[in-house]
Amino acid sequence: MIIEDGKGSGKKAQVNNENELVTRSITESEIEHASITGGAYVWDSTEKDIDAGDTMLFVQNTSETPLILDVGTINGSNVICTWTIHTGADITAPSGTTVSGVNMNPKFRSVPADAIGYADETAVADGDIVGRIKTAISETKVINLNGFILERNHYVQFTQVTESTSGSVVLRAHYANPS
């Protein structure tokens, strides 16, 4: 049996001694693929001194394309802190310091994320708790958020439950790519 490439070039596929097709593949993660095409972003709250119960970072997807959450990095501060991660879909009027999503691929830096982001956000009612984390003094925690998807107008918020004098949250996410 001869296997040809199907495009009429006459190239043939190699078969091993067990009649198995010899192949080579290169794999990439979804976020790598999204970054190549300009659909991966990072939101950074920067270091903030917020009140207990305020949201350190709030990101709401305003696109028709789902926003897939990848990793959240929580940086603790001068005291042991409890943090909650919430997701929600309530109609909201967030307020705070505007945070823009930065495209992970420098080629697409001028392409803004189709999302709104705020640091030190105080107006949104908490969504459903999907995670609770404690950070020790000056500790950094990386949280795998694989599986969390924000549809249009859905949001994620990282809330500092106990007050400290600083801290920050960085979120990496990408837009779903149908290819």
Side-chain angles (χ1 to χ4, degrees), residues 32 47 64 66 89 113 128 151:
E32 288 169 327
E47 287 286 323
E64 292 296 332
D128 297 319
E151 298 291 341

Side-chain angles (χ1 to χ4, degrees), residues 35 37 57 75 81 112 115 130 151 154:
S35 185
T37 60
L57 182 65
N75 300 295
C81 287
V130 296
E151 298 291 341
H154 291 195

Side-chain angles (χ1 to χ4, degrees), residues 5 31 40-41 43 54-55 57 61 73 77 80 94-96 114 127 143 151 159 162 166 176-177:
D5 76 347
I31 195 165
Y41 292 88
W43 289 265
D54 284 358
T55 296
L57 182 65
N61 183 18
T73 303
S77 94
I80 296 170
S95 66
D114 197 358
I143 295 89
E151 298 291 341
T159 301
T162 52
S166 67
N177 190 329

Side-chain angles (χ1 to χ4, degrees), residues 38 42 44 56 72 74 78 92 116 127 134-135 143 163 173 175:
V42 176
D44 181 1
M56 184 66 77
I74 297 176
N78 64 323
T92 64
I116 57 174
K134 285 196 182 294
T135 55
I143 295 89
E163 187 173 0
Y175 287 98

